[in-house]
Amino acid sequence: LHFARVFASLSIPGLVQSLVLENERTEKLIEDPRIDHVSFTGSVATGRKVYAAAARRMIDAGLELGGKDPAYVAEDADLAFAAENIVDGACYNAGQSCCAVERVYVHQSVYEPFLERARSLVMAYRMGDPLDEHTTLGPLARRETIETLKRQVEDALKRGARAIYRGKRPSGRGTFFEPTLLADVPNDALAMQEESFGPIVPVASVANDDEAIARMNDSRYGLSASVWTRSNKRAEHFARDLEAGTVYKNRCDFLDPALPWTGWKESGIGSTLSRCGFLALTKRKSVHFRG
């Protein structure tokens, strides 16, 4: 709505139109012959419907879908820096970011010290009105997400995970969920495999870099991943072997307009941002003359 209002102030009428539609009417809109390209951001389930509708007309579609973005804390990481940024990457906007950190792997040599630092950070969040300057954790946008988070936490605990700090839904108004820190979470747990979109931080210990890469790649998603290390050589190794559209060293949940934003596996198709992002919005033509 903000974009529509801004573009409406220009001297080009109808450049941007804002429509609020349910899935069925969106599919009908894609069938309109005036539509040449579809760019969708949302869930995998709806992305499949959008892609199928675009395929019926043989038009291109860019899909930015779900994520289960992993972080790896190597044995040589700046532990305080890594913990602070990873917890923030998981809980920023109450975890409601497509590239939020949603699972954490920590080298066994620094595992317990990382958990100790992460616990103090998670406990420091203050829930409340997002317009209050003292609030550091706002509400969830969708009420049903609370049940998703509760189910993921319970599943992890049943599989042997430890609750280092277990958040609860507070009484009163608002769709709030306290940040939750889990340790020893098996890789087949829901909290490690299914998108959370909320402030939970599931953590597991790994013995070495190879195990970290294997576990980080053990996902149907591949949006972004981060490695926390002082070694460029290690970071380059992870950048090469991780199945993700973006690989960070010592940062997370960040966009650079000069770099393509893209997803692997079920995290999406196509790119936005950078020069690559404009390619889908153009039609290439070769002109070949002889004589």
Side-chain angles (χ1 to χ4, degrees), residues 93-94 96 138-146 175-176 197:
N93 198 37
Q96 298 167 117
L140 299 170
R142 298 166 63 92
R143 186 173 298 277
E144 53 267 37
T145 302
I146 293 175
T175 52
F176 290 95
F197 223 60

Side-chain angles (χ1 to χ4, degrees), residues 5-217:
R5 282 195 288 268
V6 171
F7 278 103
S9 68
L10 302 179
S11 58
I12 309 173
L15 184 63
V16 170
Q17 300 176 57
S18 176
L19 303 175
V20 181
L21 305 173
E22 67 277 11
N23 286 352
E24 291 72 21
R25 293 182 69 190
T26 299
E27 291 181 57
K28 296 294 291 185
L29 180 66
I30 296 172
E31 294 173 3
D32 191 298
R34 293 171 292 180
I35 303 297
D36 290 327
H37 177 81
V38 180
S39 178
F40 172 77
T41 300
S43 70
V44 173
T46 302
R48 292 184 190 279
K49 295 179 181 179
V50 169
Y51 200 42
R56 288 194 289 270
R57 291 195 48 236
M58 293 295 289
I59 61 174
D60 198 12
L63 307 176
E64 184 182 329
L65 307 178
K68 194 66 187 174
D69 298 10
Y72 170 53
V73 182
E75 57 189 315
D76 68 337
D78 180 333
L79 209 55
F81 179 80
E84 180 180 357
N85 283 272
I86 287 173
V87 170
D88 179 68
C91 296
Y92 172 78
N93 198 37
Q96 298 167 117
S97 172
C98 63
C99 52
V101 174
E102 293 218 355
R103 50 197 174 108
V104 185
Y105 303 97
V106 182
H107 191 276
Q108 59 188 11
S109 64
V110 293
Y111 185 61
E112 291 299 335
F114 174 85
L115 290 174
E116 183 178 345
R117 291 178 181 274
R119 182 177 184 272
S120 63
L121 292 163
V122 167
M123 292 178 62
Y125 280 100
R126 175 178 173 179
M127 294 183 296
D129 184 345
L131 298 180
D132 183 342
E133 63 179 12
H134 298 294
T135 294
T136 55
L137 192 78
L140 299 170
R142 298 166 63 92
R143 186 173 298 277
E144 53 267 37
T145 302
I146 293 175
E147 294 305 316
T148 297
L149 298 177
K150 287 170 60 178
R151 184 169 64 252
Q152 290 185 0
V153 171
E154 291 297 335
D155 173 75
L157 295 176
K158 288 179 181 177
R159 294 172 186 265
R162 290 184 288 147
I164 303 299
Y165 183 78
R166 184 177 182 182
K168 301 177 182 178
R169 180 185 176 185
S171 58
R173 297 179 58 192
T175 52
F176 290 95
F177 193 88
E178 285 187 308
T180 300
L181 177 63
L182 303 173
D184 308 340
V185 184
N187 222 44
D188 59 352
L190 295 177
M192 289 297 206
Q193 294 295 327
E194 298 299 327
E195 192 168 23
S196 303
F197 223 60
I200 66 174
V201 189
V203 188
S205 172
V206 292
N208 50 50
D209 292 358
D210 289 340
E211 183 182 358
I213 290 173
R215 292 202 184 188
M216 294 168 85
N217 284 339

